[in-house]
Amino acid sequence: MSLVTEYHRHGNNPFGILGKWGRHDDGEQNVLALNVLLLGGRQSGRSSVGNALIGGEEFKTGTCISGVSMTTEHQLLRRNFPRYFRRKGAESDLTLRVLDTPPSFPRPKSVHELCPEGAHVLVLVVRADMHDNTHLEEHVETLFGPEWRRHALLVITHADHLKEAGLQPSDYLMQTTDWLRALAAKVEGGVLFVENSCDWPSVRGQPIRDRLLNLSARNHHSALTVRTEVSL
């Protein structure tokens, strides 16, 4: 796997993305490139989910002062997974470009500058024992309009708290706050639970990648564009 790390501050030149489908320079291998946007509140586990997706530890995690996340910049990582899946009988690479956003929700124009061709998959990250990001759905709809739910999946981190409480995931969703239960029902990519163990990014990476790949395929690998005519 090849990894490219890119850092972008607000106001920097936008990055271009690969076309949905392309070929390597040798012209032999198909490659599917997907833009993935991580969205979630402070200490939700966005960066850990990003590390799981790329199969590394390059996203900064766990650094905070007085409970305030130190992730203040957009961070973009790109990783290619050779021969990850088959399409029409041919082996295809999967290239993920994963954009982690600051916990203070980005404004539409800022997201558009960083992702001018849109996002193929939205990964909404919520921590199982912290339900303070009640405006997450509102912000996502402001950015992308009502079509956001067709491109979204929900990842609930720190799911070890469910075990401690003796809850199954289905029981947790029935007993959780109204806004989170409603959000889980709306995302068409479904809900994934991950525990807060030191090695879960490496263990859970492929299931999350497979889920977002299947979700993108259902949408014919189309991308959501940011609505820049509105502001937060």
Side-chain angles (χ1 to χ4, degrees):
M1 295 181 293
S2 59
L3 175 68
V4 177
T5 307
E6 307 174 42
Y7 295 90
H8 292 266
R9 296 176 183 270
H10 172 65
N12 279 11
N13 292 331
F15 61 82
I17 68 168
L18 301 173
K20 286 190 305 183
W21 286 99
R23 291 182 179 274
H24 288 307
D25 293 337
D26 57 16
E28 295 180 357
Q29 191 70 34
N30 290 322
V31 56
L32 171 66
L34 299 178
N35 280 354
V36 181
L37 187 64
L38 301 175
L39 300 165
R42 184 177 293 116
Q43 297 183 20
S44 61
R46 295 182 328 279
S47 297
S48 293
V49 173
N51 283 332
L53 285 170
I54 65 170
E57 298 180 355
E58 285 75 14
F59 279 113
K60 299 176 182 178
T61 62
T63 304
C64 62
I65 298 177
S66 300
V68 179
S69 171
M70 299 301 291
T71 304
T72 58
E73 300 178 1
H74 295 83
Q75 187 179 5
L76 173 68
L77 295 177
R78 180 179 64 206
R79 171 152 281 179
N80 183 65
F81 298 88
R83 297 174 173 83
Y84 191 82
F85 66 104
R86 298 185 68 85
R87 178 177 182 268
K88 296 182 178 180
E91 291 183 328
S92 298
D93 288 7
L94 174 65
T95 296
L96 294 182
R97 299 189 70 167
V98 183
L99 177 64
D100 187 15
T101 60
S104 56
F105 208 82
R107 295 181 181 276
K109 289 184 179 179
S110 301
V111 176
H112 179 70
E113 288 176 358
L114 291 167
C115 198
E117 296 191 30
H120 299 91
V121 178
L122 309 176
V123 179
L124 312 184
V125 185
V126 175
R127 182 167 163 164
D129 59 337
M130 294 176 62
H131 299 161
D132 55 349
N133 197 10
T134 57
H135 298 293
L136 179 58
E137 179 183 344
E138 176 186 346
H139 288 159
V140 176
E141 185 144 347
T142 299
L143 284 173
F144 297 105
E147 290 297 304
W148 69 267
R149 62 194 66 186
R150 293 198 305 111
H151 295 257
L153 63 90
L154 176 62
V155 176
I156 296 180
T157 62
H158 292 255
D160 44 309
H161 290 283
L162 277 66
K163 285 186 176 181
E164 296 173 3
L167 292 174
Q168 295 295 322
S170 58
D171 298 327
Y172 170 83
L173 290 175
M174 290 181 61
Q175 299 177 24
T176 192
T177 54
D178 291 342
W179 75 267
L180 183 54
R181 184 167 57 251
L183 181 64
K186 290 178 181 178
V187 293
E188 296 195 8
V191 183
L192 286 171
F193 289 82
V194 293
E195 296 183 5
N196 184 34
S197 62
C198 61
D199 61 347
W200 79 257
S202 61
V203 174
R204 296 293 299 172
Q206 184 165 344
I208 301 175
R209 286 192 296 272
D210 291 347
R211 180 71 68 91
L212 69 84
L213 178 60
N214 290 334
L215 176 61
S216 182
R218 292 210 305 268
N219 293 315
H220 306 288
H221 302 302
S222 62
L224 281 171
T225 55
V226 180
R227 301 166 66 192
T228 56
E229 73 276 8
V230 295
S231 60
L232 292 175

